[in-house]
Amino acid sequence: MDDQYKNDHQNFVSGNDGSTFFETCFILTIMPISILFQRVVFATFFNNDKFPLPLALRFILEFFFIAVPFISAVTFTELTPFLIVGMLITCLVVPMFAQKNVTIYFKNPKETLLNLNSMRKGFLEEYRAFVMLATCICILAVDFQVFPRRLGKTETYGISLMDIGVGSVVLSGALVSRQSRSSLIEKQQKKKREEGEEDKTSSSSSLKQQQQQQQQQQQQILSRSSLMWHQVKAQAPLMILGFVRMILTKSINYQEHVSEYGLHWNFFFTLGLVSISLAFLKFNANISAILGVVLICVYQFLLNNFGLSDYILNHPRDNLISMNKEGICSFVGYLAIYLIGTKIGTELFKVRSSLTEWRKFATNLLISSIVFYILWILCEIYIDKTSRRMANLGYVLAILSINLFNFSINILITLITGNHNASVIAKSINRNQLFIFLLGNILTGLINFSMKTIYAPVEQSMIIITSYTFGLSLLALILDYKNINIKFW
C-alpha cells in the first residue's frame, strides 16, 4: 500500500465524533426484526413438510431477508425506519394468506419451552451469529464512502455502530462461557452420577467400573492451576492470530488506526487475555458480577482522578506500554463486560418451568436495558463521556443497554414464533464464528489492497460489500453442511 493512499485512508477513518445512542440501537434492531420477518414469510409460504424448501433456495431467501436489510441499514441509514416498519407490517398482513391449517404464531408451546430450556438455545445462537455477521459487514463497509462516517469508530469520545462491535462480541462470548453454563453442567453431571448410582444398586458393578467412575469424577474437579493452564492452551490460537495480524500489518505497510488499540495491540489480544483472566477469577456468577461492577467503577475513578485518562489520550508513545496504552487500559473495561455477562448468562441458562416465566425473564431483560440506559445518561452528564478508546464506565453501560435490548427482543420473537424455520445462516455462522471473523478480516485486507476503497462509487461499493457478505455466509453454510468445525488448536 503506497504511503500517500495509506495516509488518505487513515485520515478517512479518523476524527469521528460518532452518532447517537438511539440511532445505534435502532440500526441494530433491524437484525431481530429481520429474523421475525423471515420466520413469518417462511411459515406462510414455505410450510410444506412433504416438499421442504431446498437448502440452496432457503439460503438465498434468508440472505435477502436478513443480511440485505442490515447492509441497506448501515449504508443508506435513511431507509432503516421504512425497512423496520415495512417488515413489521408484513408480519401482520402476510399470515392472512396462510393456509387455514397453518398456525404462524404461538404454536407448539411445549416444543418452544423445550428449546428455551435446552443447552443449545436457538435464540442465543441467532443473537451471537448475527452480532458476528454485523461485525464482519461493518469492518469492510467502513472503508467505503457509502458507509456514513458517523457510524465508524469514534476517535476519542462518543458512541457509534462500530464502537458497539467489540464490546458486543465480548458480551456474547460471556453469555455462553463455561462460567455461565456451570450450574446447568453441574446439574447434568449430578443427574448422570445419580443414574449411575441407581444402576450400581440394581446390579452389582465390577471393581473396574467403580474405578472408572472415580477417575471421571476426579477429572471433573480441576484445580485453579489446571484451569489456568487449560485456558492458556484454549486461548493460544487467539494470541497467535493477534501476533500474526500485527506482523502482517507492519510488514505490508497496511493502514492502521493507532488510537484504536495502540501501535501493536489488536482485538485478538483483548479477546484472548479476557478469557485467560477468567481462570484467575474463578468465582460464582454473583461474585463475578459484583467484581465486574467494582472493577469498572475503580477504573473510572482512576480515569477521572489519577490522570489515567490524560495518560491514555496525551502521553507520548515512548515505550512498549505507552505504545499500546489504549489496548492495555481498555482491557479493564472489556473484562468488566465479560464478568457482568457471565451473571446474565447464568440467568439465561436457568431452567424455567413455563413460557410465562420466560416472558417475565425477557421483560426483566428489557427493563434492565432501560435501567442501564438511564445510568448511561447520568454517567454522560455527571461522570464522563462515553469512550470506546478507554472502554470506560459509559461504554460498558452502553454495551449492556443496547445488547440486552436486542437480546430481549430475540427471546420474545422465539416466544411468539417458536423455533420453527430457524435461520440456517445463523446456525452456520455460529458453528465456526472465530474462523468466519478471521476470514472476514483477511478478505477486508485483500479488498483494501486490490482497490482504493475510499474512492469507490456507490454502485461498486454495494456490489463488493454484498458479495463479500454472501461469500462469508455461503462458506459458513458449506462448512456446516459438511459437518466441519474449524478449530485452531
Side-chain angles (χ1 to χ4, degrees):
M1 183 177 289
D2 64 84
D3 291 334
Q4 181 59 48
Y5 179 69
K6 177 182 177 181
N7 291 331
D8 291 345
H9 199 293
Q10 288 175 343
N11 293 331
F12 179 71
V13 298
S14 301
N16 182 26
D17 294 326
S19 176
T20 64
F21 188 100
F22 177 77
E23 183 181 37
T24 303
C25 189
F26 193 59
I27 291 174
L28 288 171
T29 304
I30 203 166
M31 276 294 192
I33 299 300
S34 297
I35 294 171
L36 175 63
F37 175 70
Q38 172 256 322
R39 288 187 178 181
V40 171
V41 172
F42 275 36
T44 303
F45 298 111
F46 307 110
N47 192 22
N48 193 328
D49 295 332
K50 293 182 179 179
F51 303 100
L53 200 63
L55 182 61
L57 180 57
R58 183 186 181 92
F59 166 77
I60 293 171
L61 289 173
E62 277 194 20
F63 183 80
F64 281 102
F65 290 163
I66 298 174
V68 170
F70 183 79
I71 294 172
S72 302
V74 299
T75 49
F76 301 98
T77 53
E78 65 276 6
L79 295 178
T80 306
F82 299 101
L83 286 169
I84 291 178
V85 172
M87 286 189 287
L88 289 175
I89 292 175
T90 302
C91 291
L92 293 174
V93 175
V94 161
M96 298 178 184
F97 299 95
Q99 298 178 7
K100 293 182 179 180
N101 62 335
V102 175
T103 304
I104 306 297
Y105 300 120
F106 305 108
K107 59 182 178 182
N108 297 329
K110 290 183 179 179
E111 185 178 334
T112 301
L113 181 61
L114 188 64
N115 175 262
L116 290 168
N117 285 328
S118 66
M119 181 68 82
R120 296 183 63 88
K121 304 178 188 296
F123 66 87
L124 182 55
E125 287 188 350
E126 287 179 336
Y127 163 79
R128 296 186 71 241
F130 289 125
V131 164
M132 182 56 67
L133 182 62
T135 302
C136 289
I137 291 171
C138 289
I139 61 174
L140 175 64
V142 71
D143 294 323
F144 291 88
Q145 290 272 8
V146 72
F147 189 87
R149 290 302 90 205
R150 67 182 185 277
L151 301 185
K153 289 181 178 178
T154 54
E155 187 67 30
T156 302
Y157 292 105
I159 188 171
S160 72
L161 180 65
M162 286 203 68
D163 285 338
I164 298 301
V166 179
S168 298
V169 171
V170 171
L171 181 61
S172 69
L175 294 177
V176 296
S177 64
R178 187 172 180 84
Q179 290 89 341
S180 298
R181 296 178 289 115
S182 59
S183 59
L184 189 58
I185 293 172
E186 288 174 4
K187 286 181 181 179
Q188 291 178 343
Q189 291 175 346
K190 183 179 179 181
K191 185 177 180 181
K192 287 180 181 179
R193 287 197 297 269
E194 289 175 351
E195 290 175 352
E197 289 175 0
E198 290 176 1
D199 293 339
K200 180 181 174 182
T201 54
S202 61
S203 60
S204 58
S205 300
S206 65
L207 181 61
K208 186 176 180 180
Q209 288 176 328
Q210 293 178 20
Q211 290 174 345
Q212 288 177 345
Q213 288 178 358
Q214 290 175 358
Q215 289 175 357
Q216 289 174 355
Q217 291 177 6
Q218 289 174 358
Q219 289 173 357
Q220 291 169 359
I221 304 173
L222 293 175
S223 65
R224 190 178 295 272
S225 60
S226 299
L227 182 60
M228 285 162 46
W229 177 239
H230 172 76
Q231 281 286 70
V232 169
K233 289 193 297 182
Q235 303 307 320
L238 282 174
M239 304 303 292
I240 293 171
L241 289 174
F243 281 108
V244 170
R245 188 184 190 282
M246 178 189 70
I247 293 169
L248 285 176
T249 53
K250 300 298 179 186
S251 61
I252 61 179
N253 198 33
Y254 190 70
Q255 63 85 16
E256 296 177 274
H257 196 181
V258 177
S259 64
E260 185 177 349
Y261 291 108
L263 203 58
H264 309 101
W265 200 277
N266 57 61
F267 172 66
F268 292 109
F269 288 140
T270 296
L271 198 59
L273 287 175
V274 164
S275 299
I276 292 172
S277 299
L278 266 293
F280 297 87
L281 305 171
K282 188 184 176 184
F283 306 113
N284 65 47
N286 291 327
I287 295 177
S288 292
I290 294 171
L291 182 61
V293 172
V294 171
L295 191 64
I296 191 59
C297 289
V298 170
Y299 177 56
Q300 185 63 55
F301 183 75
L302 294 175
L303 286 170
N304 286 1
N305 299 285
F306 285 85
L308 184 57
S309 175
D310 182 64
Y311 170 79
I312 295 172
L313 300 180
N314 302 313
H315 193 279
R317 302 180 189 274
D318 51 9
N319 57 56
L320 186 62
I321 292 177
S322 61
M323 285 178 184
N324 300 284
K325 53 190 177 179
E326 291 90 350
I328 294 171
C329 294
S330 65
F331 164 77
V332 178
Y334 293 116
L335 180 59
I337 291 172
Y338 199 99
L339 288 168
I340 297 170
T342 57
K343 171 59 179 175
I344 300 171
T346 302
E347 295 299 315
L348 178 68
F349 280 98
K350 282 185 178 179
V351 176
R352 292 171 173 80
S353 59
S354 66
L355 293 180
T356 301
E357 290 186 17
W358 274 102
R359 292 188 192 99
K360 289 180 180 177
F361 176 64
T363 304
N364 289 337
L365 284 179
L366 193 58
I367 294 171
S368 299
S369 171
I370 297 171
V371 170
F372 282 125
Y373 173 67
I374 295 171
L375 291 174
W376 175 79
I377 293 175
L378 295 175
C379 180
E380 286 273 301
I381 297 172
Y382 297 107
I383 300 176
D384 197 6
K385 298 293 183 182
T386 302
S387 174
R388 174 208 47 80
R389 185 174 175 180
M390 293 182 279
N392 61 1
L393 177 61
Y395 180 75
V396 172
L397 291 172
I399 290 295
L400 292 172
S401 178
I402 291 174
N403 279 274
L404 288 183
F405 177 76
N406 281 285
F407 192 51
S408 62
I409 293 177
N410 269 83
I411 298 176
L412 290 172
I413 287 172
T414 299
L415 288 167
I416 292 171
T417 64
N419 200 43
H420 296 277
N421 297 302
S423 170
V424 295
I425 292 179
K427 176 176 175 289
S428 303
I429 292 176
N430 194 67
R431 183 168 192 163
N432 288 292
Q433 274 208 29
L434 180 58
F435 173 73
I436 295 300
F437 180 67
L438 176 61
L439 184 61
N441 276 268
I442 293 172
L443 290 176
T444 297
L446 291 174
I447 291 170
N448 272 281
F449 257 97
S450 63
M451 64 179 293
K452 295 183 177 180
T453 54
I454 63 174
Y455 304 132
V458 172
E459 296 80 4
Q460 184 183 18
S461 301
M462 292 303 296
I463 291 172
I464 292 171
I465 295 169
T466 305
S467 301
Y468 154 88
T469 308
F470 185 86
L472 281 180
S473 304
L474 180 60
L475 180 59
L477 181 76
I478 293 171
L479 292 174
D480 183 60
Y481 180 75
K482 296 290 185 179
N483 201 29
I484 297 173
N485 291 319
I486 296 181
K487 300 285 187 180
F488 295 91
W489 60 93

